[in-house]
Amino acid sequence: MTAEWIAIDWGTTNFRAYLMSIDGVLIDRISASQGLLSVAPEGYGEVLSALLKPWFLEHGNLAIFMAGMVGSQQGWLEVPYISTPADIQQLCTAHKYVYLPQGNKAVITPGVSHRNSSDHPDVMRGEEVQLFGLASILGVRQFKAIFPGTHSKHIDWCDNALSKFKTYMTGELYSLLIEYSILSRGLDSHSQQHDPEAFKLGVTSGYKLPLSNALFSARTNRLFNIVADESVHSYLSGLLIGSELNDLEADETVFVVGDEKQSELYSQALVTLGYNTRTVDVEQCFLSGMTSLYHIYNTQRELVK
């Protein structure tokens, strides 16, 4: 199978590259812990060339398509956000180019911004490509999706476009609480085990109660032996996810796109609260979205090998 192009997801902590055929078939992959924050601003081109050197030696200077935080203010080159409603054609008209030391160019896709009902801005970078890939996989004009992570996204797809979304700092709050709050004081993090019942209890409590009140129950339930010491993290995770899902607006199947562990937790929480849900592999969505972008650029002859 002939390699034609490279898809890259370059975030703040991780680098992932995918060697692709013209039809979007995955040929090879590279993963590295060389996220953007570990690279000096003037060194992005050299680092990328070094990471991709084996592919360049075998296949030549392939076209490169990058998404994610590489296009942020903290990345290689800032690519301004496009506004909702946004479709994939709009994403293709707002890209920017960077050049590698050997001369081949790489396209960086923009992120998407949205103004909520209170006129506050919200943003995403990287999830929009995964969403366009999910839409291509599902082949429907309207659906609701959750992309769990450090900053979880609830996304509405309507009339073949990203119509609106909300961001929740669920993952980051969880990390802060288990590292620095009284709720985890005296706990051995290595003894923590996933406890489905404690997690479900947390989900229902977080769904019903104001978040700051629900969080204190992680302390009191431990004090009164309702939640065992080794299950506190499960309960906290459930509280935060349940609180997030209290804001969910959905009366249809909710699609969950994330890594295996996060997707399983969100699926359990959604089922606990009575929602229909289906998980879709995040890498599959990303590559589907990037393949759609590649075909559009190829048709427009804007980026060639």
Side-chain angles (χ1 to χ4, degrees):
M1 187 173 296
T2 303
E4 292 288 338
W5 60 287
I6 298 169
I8 293 176
D9 180 7
W10 203 350
T12 54
T13 57
N14 292 296
F15 171 91
R16 297 180 181 88
Y18 305 89
L19 186 65
M20 308 294 292
S21 76
I22 193 169
D23 296 322
V25 177
L26 175 62
I27 299 171
D28 197 5
R29 59 163 57 84
I30 294 172
S31 296
S33 57
Q34 289 179 272
L36 297 163
L37 296 182
S38 68
V39 181
E42 66 276 8
Y44 292 126
E46 288 76 11
V47 169
L48 183 60
S49 294
L51 288 167
L52 300 181
K53 184 178 179 179
W55 290 348
F56 291 153
L57 289 175
E58 183 174 356
H59 305 288
N61 291 342
L62 302 172
I64 300 169
F65 297 83
M66 297 192 288
M69 294 302 288
V70 66
S72 70
Q73 288 182 343
Q74 295 78 38
W76 189 341
L77 177 67
E78 184 177 7
V79 185
Y81 298 100
I82 61 172
S83 300
T84 55
D87 61 30
I88 197 166
Q89 291 288 343
Q90 291 169 286
L91 205 69
C92 289
T93 61
H95 65 270
K96 288 190 177 182
Y97 290 120
V98 291
Y99 290 85
L100 276 67
Q102 61 266 40
N104 56 320
K105 61 184 179 181
V107 63
I108 303 178
T109 63
V112 179
S113 66
H114 174 70
R115 290 274 179 175
N116 65 22
S117 57
S118 299
D119 202 36
H120 294 306
D122 204 337
V123 295
M124 66 167 63
R125 282 196 188 273
E127 294 95 345
E128 69 289 332
V129 173
Q130 299 166 12
L131 181 72
F132 292 132
L134 176 62
S136 177
I137 292 167
L138 298 180
V140 295
R141 296 180 61 86
Q142 183 171 320
F143 59 84
K144 182 82 173 188
I146 294 178
F147 286 58
T150 303
H151 299 153
S152 177
K153 309 286 184 183
H154 293 196
I155 310 174
D156 285 355
W157 179 265
C158 185
D159 294 330
N160 286 330
L162 195 175
S163 60
K164 63 180 180 179
F165 62 91
K166 292 181 180 180
T167 301
Y168 302 82
M169 294 180 63
T170 303
E172 185 166 355
L173 282 173
Y174 175 77
S175 296
L176 290 170
L177 288 167
I178 64 173
E179 289 291 332
Y180 302 109
S181 80
I182 193 174
L183 302 179
S184 283
R185 186 171 298 171
L187 292 177
D188 179 3
S189 61
H190 298 292
S191 69
Q192 293 295 307
Q193 304 171 13
H194 179 61
D195 182 336
E197 294 306 313
F199 177 77
K200 290 178 183 178
L201 179 62
V203 168
T204 55
S205 298
Y207 189 79
K208 294 175 181 177
L209 301 172
L211 180 58
S212 60
N213 176 230
L215 288 174
F216 194 68
S217 71
R219 176 168 169 78
T220 55
N221 280 340
R222 179 185 171 196
L223 284 172
F224 287 90
N225 299 316
I226 297 170
V227 174
D229 282 4
E230 62 270 18
S231 303
V232 170
H233 287 188
S234 291
Y235 182 71
L236 264 176
S237 176
L239 283 176
L240 290 165
I241 294 174
S243 178
E244 175 188 327
L245 295 179
N246 177 266
D247 200 35
L248 180 64
E249 301 171 358
D251 55 7
E252 55 194 324
T253 297
V254 179
F255 295 91
V256 179
V257 179
D259 67 34
E260 185 176 357
K261 181 179 179 180
Q262 291 174 330
S263 294
E264 178 60 26
L265 288 176
Y266 272 75
S267 293
Q268 289 177 15
L270 286 162
V271 170
T272 297
L273 296 173
Y275 289 98
N276 293 320
T277 182
R278 173 183 159 192
T279 61
V280 186
D281 180 69
V282 64
E283 183 179 279
Q284 181 186 7
C285 290
F286 177 75
L287 294 180
S288 175
M290 292 299 276
T291 299
S292 296
L293 288 170
Y294 168 74
H295 286 154
I296 292 172
Y297 284 116
N298 235 16
T299 300
Q300 297 173 349
R301 300 294 181 183
E302 289 214 22
L303 190 68
V304 294
K305 183 176 174 179

